[in-house]
Amino acid sequence: MSTDLLQRGKQIKLAVFDVDGVLTDGRLYFLEDGSEFKTFNTLDGQGIKMLMAAGVQTAIISGRKTPVVERRAKNLGIPHLYQGREDKLVVLDELLAQLNLSYEQVAYLGDDLPDLPVIRRVGLGMAVANAASFVRENAHGITLARGGEGAAREFCELILLAQGRLDAANAAYL
């Protein structure tokens, strides 16, 4: 764990997640009736709950819009959900104004081109292990886990560890 990542993680008050390729494995599943389903990792969900219990606010910003993501956010208690919004930096600006936070207080986990402007701008911009190469090259750090396979949990534990709310010996992925 780099000291730079831990230093960046200390000031985080808001953790923001992309969905497809980050909270899921990035595959889209369509049934014959046109409905869609996604699979989520329970380890990631627990990590998000741990962050919120520690006082870190959470949000999801996704370019796609599906009822499944709305259900997952509600199930986890994520208060800020933005779907169908391609320009994620504009959404983040709206959210920061609402919460009275600065970019330096934000951590973001993404995997592809729409995530890049946010990753470059926030205090802790991270990419999942299987993110597009140009995203990994611009991120402050890269998770060991792939999207949908515990990357979000690793991201959450990094923030908790940096803020002294998790002992390294108890971190599942670090």
Side-chain angles (χ1 to χ4, degrees):
M1 176 71 44
S2 85
T3 54
D4 179 57
L5 289 180
L6 290 173
Q7 194 63 36
R8 290 175 178 278
K10 282 183 183 179
Q11 57 194 348
I12 300 306
K13 304 264 189 249
L14 171 67
V16 183
F17 302 86
D18 176 36
V19 176
D20 296 318
V22 173
L23 295 178
T24 74
D25 63 9
R27 292 185 279 184
L28 301 176
Y29 300 92
F30 295 98
L31 300 177
E32 284 186 31
D33 66 3
S35 61
E36 174 181 345
F37 73 92
K38 300 175 186 289
T39 59
F40 296 92
N41 189 307
T42 58
L43 294 173
D44 291 342
Q46 182 61 39
I48 292 169
K49 287 181 179 181
M50 290 164 54
L51 265 186
M52 291 188 297
V56 177
Q57 298 197 57
T58 57
I60 289 175
I61 303 175
S62 178
R64 301 189 75 247
K65 183 175 172 113
T66 66
V68 175
V69 172
E70 186 174 345
R71 190 172 319 129
R72 181 65 171 157
K74 184 176 182 180
N75 176 262
L76 292 174
I78 297 171
H80 308 286
L81 173 62
Y82 300 88
Q83 293 194 83
R85 303 284 300 269
E86 288 292 328
D87 192 336
K88 296 180 179 190
L89 197 53
V90 168
V91 176
L92 183 59
D93 284 341
E94 293 169 9
L95 184 56
L96 292 180
Q98 177 186 336
L99 299 176
N100 197 28
L101 295 174
S102 67
Y103 286 118
E104 293 75 26
Q105 296 172 301
V106 177
Y108 185 90
L109 184 61
D111 73 318
D112 209 350
L113 186 60
D115 304 309
L116 195 54
V118 177
I119 286 173
R120 286 179 171 162
R121 188 79 165 106
V122 298
L124 177 60
M126 302 261 315
V128 297
N130 58 321
S133 62
F134 54 86
V135 175
R136 291 191 317 266
E137 290 167 7
N138 284 277
H140 297 119
I142 303 166
T143 63
L144 298 175
R146 298 168 58 87
E149 298 177 9
R153 174 65 171 264
E154 185 180 333
F155 174 75
C156 293
E157 288 186 357
L158 165 68
I159 295 166
L160 292 168
L161 186 64
Q163 295 183 2
R165 299 174 189 268
L166 182 70
D167 187 301
N170 295 322
Y173 292 94
L174 302 175

